[in-house]
Amino acid sequence: MSTLNILAFASAMFLLAITPGPGVFATISRALASGFTNASFVVLGIVLGDIFFLLLAIFGLSAIASILGDLFILIKYLGGAYLIFLAYSIFTIKEKETNIKGVYELSWKKNFLTGLLITLSNPKVILFYLGFLPTFINLHTLNTNDIVIISIIVTLVLGAVMLTYAYTASKANNLLKDKNSKRKMNILASSVMFTAGSFLILK
């Protein structure tokens, strides 16, 4: 890959990454409810899910996505239901004025699973990469170094954008320390999470 292709691909990925979607909504919701660290594991799951689909597209394995179509549908519903469950859990939390680190802490595994399910529930991602990558590179002439570079670009750009969303939302959360403000923030966080879950199920 030439330097120009790398810069063009990175710029295009940035524009796509900042576009709001279920991943952005879930990341913001986790950051609002439980801070930056918890949201960062959601981001990790989202990024790894994207890398999985990216590699499938690079190696021409879109047929696998078609074969596993029913499984992807199941994952979509499970992912949506899980996000709605989290929304309910956040909404029903009893706030404490002294708790400024987060009112609803999930394990890093659950946060990671949330992000991963969001991406894997949308097999159209692989179709996106199949249509997107040829604009910048020739998939038939890619070598190992090119694949590593592409994967790094997706990881860094997508990760940076999502972590920025998480950091910004977490700062808003830390500014609101009293009980009433926490209640409003939790309502907002649960609403965002519920919207993301409903979107996955209904789309």
Side-chain angles (χ1 to χ4, degrees):
M1 292 181 66
S2 67
T3 302
L4 182 61
N5 283 342
I6 291 175
L7 292 176
F9 179 67
S11 299
M13 274 302 306
F14 173 76
L15 293 175
L16 292 166
I18 62 175
T19 303
V24 172
F25 295 147
T27 299
I28 291 175
S29 179
R30 291 307 301 143
L32 289 173
S34 297
F36 177 79
T37 300
N38 287 281
S40 66
F41 286 108
V42 176
V43 173
L44 178 61
I46 291 172
V47 171
L48 288 183
D50 257 68
I51 293 297
F52 172 73
F53 279 131
L54 171 69
L55 294 178
L56 286 184
I58 288 177
F59 290 109
L61 299 180
S62 58
I64 291 181
S66 299
I67 294 173
L68 298 179
D70 291 339
L71 177 60
F72 280 123
I73 292 175
L74 176 60
I75 292 175
K76 181 183 75 168
Y77 286 122
L78 288 177
Y82 183 61
L83 292 179
I84 292 174
F85 168 74
L86 291 181
Y88 172 78
S89 300
I90 294 171
F91 183 78
T92 56
I93 284 297
K94 298 296 183 181
E95 294 77 13
K96 298 179 180 179
E97 293 185 9
T98 57
N99 182 8
I100 63 175
K101 292 183 178 180
V103 297
Y104 184 61
E105 307 296 345
L106 295 174
S107 69
W108 71 267
K109 293 180 181 179
K110 290 182 178 179
N111 281 310
F112 171 78
L113 181 62
T114 298
L116 188 63
L117 281 174
I118 287 171
T119 301
L120 295 184
S121 65
N122 185 14
K124 291 182 180 179
V125 173
I126 189 176
L127 301 178
F128 160 74
Y129 279 122
L130 283 171
F132 179 67
L133 290 175
T135 304
F136 304 93
I137 51 182
N138 186 344
L139 293 177
H140 301 292
T141 61
L142 283 180
N143 55 40
T144 302
N145 289 336
D146 292 330
I147 294 174
V148 171
I149 291 173
I150 293 171
S151 299
I152 290 175
I153 290 173
V154 171
T155 299
L156 292 180
V157 174
L158 181 60
V161 169
M162 299 301 287
L163 287 175
T164 299
Y165 276 120
Y167 180 77
T168 303
S170 68
K171 285 302 179 183
N173 180 34
N174 289 335
L175 290 174
L176 302 175
K177 300 179 182 180
D178 64 274
K179 192 173 182 179
N180 290 332
S181 295
K182 282 290 185 182
R183 172 86 295 237
K184 294 177 182 178
M185 189 64 73
N186 287 341
I187 292 175
L188 175 61
S190 64
S191 298
V192 172
M193 188 71 79
F194 180 82
T195 300
S198 298
F199 178 81
L200 285 180
I201 293 175
L202 297 176
K203 71 176 180 178

